Amino acid sequence: MYTVLKPIIALLTMVFNGLHQFIVSIGVTNSGVSYVLAVLLVTVIVRLILLPLNIKQMKSQTKMQELQPKMQQLQNKYKNDPQKQQMEIMKLYKEFGVSPFSGCLPLLIQMPILFSLYYVFMGINIGGASFLWLADLQQPDPYYILPILSTVTTFLSTYMMSKSTPSQNTGGMNMNSMNIVMSLMSGFIALRIGSLLVLYWIMGNLIQIIQNYFLIVLPAKKKKHEEARKNN
């Protein structure tokens, strides 16, 4: 995997070191704080790159919400034939160019970046830098606070991405189940990897949650309010 990711690792190493040197140059002398701030800047950059994809996925989810009446018709029509029901629903998705798993795509696309950052943070010598309760940012959190935060923020992020998508069973697992599994996996992985990388993941989730609010939750509330006003 390292060989495949080598170009990304080299680029991210250069970017991270450059950002860290910039932070130190403006007067941040505490090594732990400077490294955490560098992680925050890297997170913001990655999220800005992913923003167009998030907007695209939001539009896809809006289409799926509009397809809800057609999907309910198919569910009623083939309620005694689950296999046929799934085939027809997937055909409907294909016809309108939407995906039932659109909410998970930003997470999946992040994986190569996450794996690359693992090698970046393992390769740099941060000299046992500490931050808050973390005695060494290159070591796992001994108090399990970061794994818990990773699990919670991952679930909130994926839940908000998928809440506008009609819940459908696909391959025996619906979106809510997938969100829970992915969240628990992120928490389990966070138990075993360096805190600096887990901080990146948590920061990314928090930024994603804010984006989801403005891209998904807020427009949905406005639409609901407009529909209620028209009905009155």
Side-chain angles (χ1 to χ4, degrees):
M1 180 179 292
Y2 178 84
T3 303
V4 176
L5 297 175
K6 195 171 182 179
I8 302 177
I9 295 170
L11 175 62
L12 288 176
T13 299
M14 181 179 65
V15 170
F16 182 80
N17 287 334
L19 290 173
H20 180 255
Q21 290 173 7
F22 168 75
I23 291 169
V24 172
S25 70
I26 62 176
V28 181
T29 57
N30 184 288
S31 60
V33 174
S34 64
Y35 278 112
V36 171
L37 288 176
V39 170
L40 177 60
L41 290 180
V42 169
T43 308
V44 171
I45 292 171
V46 171
R47 287 296 170 175
L48 287 175
I49 293 172
L50 290 176
L51 183 58
L53 176 62
N54 286 332
I55 294 174
K56 182 178 179 181
Q57 298 309 321
M58 181 270 293
K59 292 180 179 178
S60 176
Q61 288 179 316
T62 301
K63 286 184 180 180
M64 289 195 67
Q65 192 69 17
E66 294 172 353
L67 290 179
Q68 180 70 5
K70 294 181 181 293
M71 293 172 62
Q72 290 178 343
Q73 291 176 3
L74 292 174
Q75 289 172 346
N76 294 330
K77 183 177 180 180
Y78 300 105
K79 60 182 179 180
N80 296 323
D81 190 350
Q83 185 174 1
K84 179 67 174 178
Q85 180 188 113
Q86 289 300 317
M87 289 177 61
E88 292 298 321
I89 289 175
M90 295 307 293
K91 188 183 297 183
L92 184 68
Y93 289 155
K94 186 175 181 180
E95 180 182 349
F96 286 86
V98 296
S99 169
F101 304 112
S102 58
C104 295
L105 284 178
L107 273 175
L108 296 176
I109 290 176
Q110 275 198 86
M111 290 306 171
I113 298 175
L114 187 66
F115 292 144
S116 298
L117 284 173
Y118 170 81
Y119 290 109
V120 171
F121 296 152
M122 288 296 293
I124 60 176
N125 181 17
I126 65 176
S130 61
F131 180 74
L132 297 179
W133 71 92
L134 302 167
D136 187 345
L137 286 169
Q138 280 189 318
Q139 299 300 318
D141 181 356
Y143 301 107
Y144 310 119
I145 296 174
L146 293 185
I148 293 172
L149 290 176
S150 177
T151 302
V152 173
T153 57
T154 298
F155 177 78
L156 289 175
S157 176
T158 55
Y159 172 75
M160 292 175 71
M161 285 294 290
S162 62
K163 68 179 298 185
S164 64
T165 303
S167 180
Q168 294 294 326
N169 290 322
T170 304
M173 182 176 289
N174 60 30
M175 288 301 298
N176 287 332
S177 299
M178 289 187 65
N179 292 342
I180 293 173
V181 170
M182 292 180 69
S183 302
L184 292 175
M185 284 181 61
S186 73
F188 177 76
I189 294 171
L191 290 170
R192 301 172 176 270
I193 60 178
S195 297
L196 206 58
L197 185 59
V198 183
L199 282 170
Y200 161 79
W201 185 254
I202 293 172
M203 290 174 185
N205 285 339
L206 292 174
I207 294 173
Q208 184 70 55
I209 289 169
I210 295 171
Q211 288 181 352
N212 291 345
Y213 177 79
F214 287 102
L215 294 175
I216 298 175
V217 178
L218 194 59
K221 286 183 178 180
K222 289 182 179 179
K223 184 177 180 181
K224 186 177 181 180
H225 178 72
E226 290 175 358
E227 290 176 351
R229 187 176 60 183
K230 289 180 180 178
N231 293 332
N232 293 334

